[in-house]
Amino acid sequence: MPNEFTVRTHSQEEFIDITNSVKEVVASSHIQKGVAVVYVPHTTAGVTINESADPSVVEDILEVLRRVVPFNFPYRHLEGNASAHIKTSIVGSSISVLVERGNLILGTWQGIFFCEFDGPRTRRVWVDVIGE
Ligand code: ZN
C-alpha cells in the first residue's frame, strides 16, 4: 500500500497546501533520487501544483473554475455535486514531482495543493516515492 495521510477540509471548496506533508513522506522513504507520485483517491477532490507564495492565486483559480463549471446547470448526475466531479477532472487526480538528494524539487514559487470541491470532509492522499 502507498503512504497515506488525511486532509480535513473546512469548506465546500478550498485549496489546501499539502507540500510539507508530501515532503515528510519523501523524507521517511529515505529515497535519494526518483519521483514522488501524489494521488487523490476521490471523485470530487483533486490535486494540482501552483503558486504557494501568494494565496490569491489559488483563490483566483477557484473563482474561475466556479464560473466555468457552475453549481446550477441541468446536469444528469442527480447527487447534486456534478460540478465537483467536473472540476476534479479539470485539475486531475495526481501529480508527480522529481526527488533529488532526498528532497522534492519544486520551482521557487510552487506548492502542492489538495483541491476540495465537495467538502467539508476528511479526505485521503496517497503518496508513493519511486527510486533509489
Ligand atoms: Zn456525485
Side-chain angles (χ1 to χ4, degrees):
M1 281 299 292
N3 298 283
E4 179 179 301
F5 61 85
T6 59
V7 176
R8 178 71 201 159
T9 65
H10 298 92
S11 307
Q12 184 177 16
E13 294 185 316
E14 65 181 310
F15 282 26
I16 296 175
D17 191 331
I18 58 170
T19 309
N20 286 336
S21 298
V22 177
K23 283 181 177 174
E24 286 173 15
V25 174
V26 172
S28 65
S29 77
H30 302 294
I31 286 173
Q32 293 298 302
K33 182 174 176 61
V35 62
V37 178
V38 181
Y39 186 88
V40 173
H42 300 288
T43 61
T44 56
V47 63
T48 194
I49 296 174
N50 215 298
E51 175 163 342
S52 59
D54 179 359
S56 61
V57 171
V58 293
E59 288 301 314
D60 285 340
I61 294 171
L62 255 180
E63 186 58 35
V64 169
L65 284 172
R66 285 188 195 108
R67 292 187 187 206
V68 172
V69 189
F71 288 109
N72 296 312
F73 184 81
Y75 297 112
R76 289 177 178 82
H77 181 59
L78 297 177
E79 198 186 12
N81 60 359
S83 74
H85 289 291
I86 294 165
K87 289 165 187 158
T88 298
S89 277
I90 290 172
V91 301
S93 297
S94 72
I95 54 103
S96 302
V97 181
L98 295 173
V99 172
E100 294 279 352
R101 294 184 183 135
N103 295 308
L104 283 181
I105 303 300
L106 287 165
T108 304
W109 308 111
Q110 286 183 317
I112 304 168
F113 291 89
F114 181 89
C115 309
E116 175 64 83
F117 297 115
D118 195 25
R121 302 194 199 197
T122 299
R123 300 292 206 167
R124 295 187 293 163
V125 177
W126 293 343
V127 180
D128 220 342
V129 189
I130 300 150
E132 57 189 29

